[in-house]
Amino acid sequence: MISKILSVLVVDDELPIREELKLFDWESRGTVLVGDVSNGVKALSFCEEYTPDIVITDITMPLMDGITLTRELKLRYPQVQIILLTCHSDFNYVREALHLGALDYLVKVTLEDNELDAALSKARMIIEKEKIYKDRFHDEQRWKQSQLIRQYLNNELLDEKALILELELLGLCLEFPIRIIRLQLSGDKNNRLFVNREIQGLLYKLQGSLKSPFTWIPIGVGEYLCFSPTNIIELETLIHQMKYLINFLNKEVEKSLSYLTNEVGIYVIISEPIDSVNSITSEILEMASWKKQKFYNNKEKVIVGKAPYISNIKDQNICEIETELRKVQREKDKLLIFFRKDFIEWFTKKMIEPLEVKEFILRWVIEWLSNDEFESIPGLTQRILDSSTLSEMVLVIIHAIETKSGVKKPYRTEIQQATKLIHERISEPITLAVIADEVSMSPNYISRLFREEVGTTFNDYLTQVRMEQAIFLLKNTNMKVYEVAENVGIPSYRYFSTLFRKWTGKTPTEYKKG
């Protein structure tokens, strides 16, 4: 299988030769002819606009011959592979060109397709070897950069000048003033682990293809840093580029990981301009505090500046909300209204440490539910603790309230159709966008209806159906675990096992054995 389409430029002052090469079946060789020019001057001008992978050039040409062109190409674009076209009388020139770095030569008058095939294959082999070497080199550079910055943030490297020097040796030059850009994943921890691998590959691929001017340095699972000189990219342009990047990453992740149970949010924080290395640590730590703030506001995808203050629960009059909650906890309808409105408004205004909010609601849930009721709602504690936003946590509680009451109103037609499609296509890659298209609604609208009608998110409902089907198959069939995983639309065995254990408290194998 051809891994990459190689681009080819033909350089020859003889029009018949160029026309003959245009008829060559480039496509079947995994190549594409991107241009043909008549001399070396035009070839260099072409390469300034678009640098091909391979240049096939005549040796004797007016204005700039093939020897000079080879020399210039190897100086300016050393990665370009050069194949020479020559006549019998040109062999002395051929030796010189090969010495300068040309890859191979072909004799014009006896040129056969299989000879050109062999030269192109040789060029592909060299290009792919160089790519492997560069990828390994860049991976090593990124790992060293990452380790260096982590050491600095952990106060293991106290000398700021040493940091700058070491980063320069690793190919990262900081030209102050700069802005720090922090790309962050939010959401369920297990989902973040899977998405992080995909995001890391996409970021490196973008960087390797020169489609992105940013060098992203991993500093943790789902956390990347980038340094942007303020004199090169204006803030408005930077914001626009980051929005485009987030949109691109989201689309690629949805295509490759459609089976994930919950969305993993991607957001970017851009610092104020930093004038010296002394401010790097404090600014990076300041940017990290946005993780807590995103629990309350998950809409903004690109953020500039400092995060709002997050308070502790002991600093607030928590008795106020506790009293209001106990007033309505015995009446289902009032309790639902309270969580959907007053509860969200109160905590959003107070901006309390997210973990403390989760601990508060867990204490209330344990007090509110009997032991039997608590055990009848699988994974309730973990789902509360894993909630990445306040709204997501409230949906978990609303689902528990609905489950406790045991009485649910019939869903409207569109939701009935959506749930029917989920059950019918459970083994397929199902996404909110796919279902929304089937029921002729926008993804945002169908998502809101799911919250209102079903009392849970689309993804949570999809996960529930998948896990119920998996439990049934493990109990009642001889299917192997990986076959069950595929049958419920989760092609990743590892992800399925992690999710199943989170849902039931047992691994699929343990559950199957009883």
Side-chain angles (χ1 to χ4, degrees), residues 370-385:
S370 68
N371 286 335
D372 288 343
E373 289 170 334
F374 189 82
E375 290 175 4
S376 70
I377 307 174
L380 179 57
T381 298
Q382 197 59 49
R383 288 166 67 198
I384 290 172
L385 292 174

Side-chain angles (χ1 to χ4, degrees), residues 203-315:
L203 290 175
Y204 293 171
K205 187 177 179 181
L206 278 175
Q207 187 178 322
S209 65
L210 302 179
K211 291 181 181 178
S212 171
F214 305 104
T215 299
W216 295 98
I217 303 169
I219 60 168
V221 176
E223 298 178 84
Y224 299 84
L225 287 185
C226 182
F227 302 96
S228 175
T230 58
N231 62 336
I232 295 179
I233 305 177
E234 294 182 357
L235 180 58
E236 187 176 341
T237 303
L238 191 57
I239 292 171
H240 176 75
Q241 290 175 329
M242 290 302 109
K243 286 180 178 178
Y244 178 85
L245 175 65
I246 290 170
N247 187 47
F248 167 77
L249 294 176
N250 276 324
K251 285 181 178 178
E252 292 300 310
V253 167
E254 185 173 331
K255 279 195 293 187
S256 57
L257 300 174
S258 60
Y259 55 83
L260 291 184
T261 55
N262 286 303
E263 179 185 2
V264 173
I266 305 172
Y267 63 95
V268 165
I269 306 145
I270 302 173
S271 77
E272 297 294 342
I274 299 172
D275 294 323
S276 72
V277 70
N278 300 332
S279 305
I280 288 180
T281 302
S282 59
E283 196 63 39
I284 291 175
L285 295 175
E286 173 67 33
M287 295 167 86
S289 63
W290 273 104
K291 283 193 282 188
K292 295 178 180 178
Q293 197 278 339
K294 293 298 286 184
F295 183 73
Y296 295 97
N297 175 19
N298 205 36
K299 292 180 180 178
E300 290 297 323
K301 300 303 180 186
V302 179
I303 307 158
V304 180
K306 297 185 182 299
Y309 176 72
I310 298 290
S311 65
N312 294 112
I313 207 163
K314 64 182 180 182
D315 299 328

